[in-house]
Amino acid sequence: MFRLQGSKVLAVDMTGDAVKAKNGSMVAYDGQMTFKKLTGGGEGIRGMVTRRLTGEQMTVMEVKGQGTCWFADRASEINLVSLQGDKLYVESSNLLVTEAGLRTGTTFTGLRGASQGNGLFTTTVEGHGQAAIMSDGPALVLRVSTQYPLIVDPGAYIAHQGNLRQSFQSGVTFRTFLGEGGGEAFQIRFEGDGLVYVQPSERNTIAGDL
């Protein structure tokens, strides 16, 4: 159903089924398609309350029909993630398309989410199916094991999945060495067993430069 055409365009073949996609990300389609705007960032009352409290707004559209749709967003690299009943935690700005059967929601993330200006919550995707996430440059997928925890710069973090615990620690970033740091820097520490997706380009975040 999901197939990459190059690294920056996602083609989705549909036979009467539907997908949920970032609003405005459809670049072309053939066949017969219908489009419906949805309210994203979480489903149900909890999602509505979360968005109102945090200001996080993720505009999503449902695409349904027969044919092929092509999706892209600002020439970002696209990465496919297969979920087998597990949960994916992803920054809302990095989520491109999910199969309609996957459930989306919000979860509390603490300092990291707040420091990126996305509120104290991040988007979750759960169930069986495929999701497409975006990165600024080719994403690096890093394995975390019980023997080897992983430290990530908040500005490079995209998503994670698996049985992982995250915490925050003070540390040093390259900006500190370059004399661009304005104070103590923070990093995300992942422990457990799972995967973390990072991009080779940092967002401007307060977390990396508090």
Side-chain angles (χ1 to χ4, degrees), residues 11-155:
V12 180
D13 300 313
M14 288 183 278
T15 56
D17 41 1
V19 296
K20 290 180 287 189
K22 184 175 183 178
N23 199 40
S25 63
M26 190 274 295
V27 295
Y29 73 91
D30 61 23
Q32 298 293 322
M33 299 288 170
T34 61
F35 303 89
K36 182 171 71 172
K37 185 177 180 181
L38 305 174
T39 302
E43 295 172 348
I45 298 299
R46 181 168 180 264
M48 291 171 59
V49 172
T50 297
R51 288 192 304 278
R52 181 164 294 179
L53 289 175
T54 64
E56 178 174 296
Q57 182 62 44
M58 176 184 165
T59 308
V60 180
M61 61 180 178
E62 181 187 70
V63 183
K64 185 176 183 179
Q66 302 261 357
T68 301
C69 253
W70 289 268
F71 299 92
D73 187 47
R74 296 172 308 214
S76 298
E77 299 281 336
I78 300 172
N79 314 270
L80 298 183
V81 179
S82 294
L83 296 176
Q84 304 297 326
D86 51 330
K87 185 181 292 186
L88 175 72
Y89 299 82
V90 57
E91 292 298 303
S92 61
S93 59
N94 293 96
L95 184 60
L96 181 65
V97 182
T98 64
E99 289 190 35
L102 291 173
R103 300 181 302 279
T104 57
T106 50
T107 190
F108 181 77
T109 60
L111 173 65
R112 182 188 56 74
S115 62
Q116 291 191 0
N118 292 334
L120 292 174
F121 293 78
T122 197
T123 299
T124 59
V125 182
E126 188 174 8
H128 290 80
Q130 284 189 298
I133 62 176
M134 299 179 293
S135 57
D136 186 3
L140 187 61
V141 185
L142 301 173
R143 164 67 66 178
V144 181
S145 67
T146 53
Q147 296 87 358
Y148 297 100
L150 180 70
I151 312 300
V152 176
D153 187 293

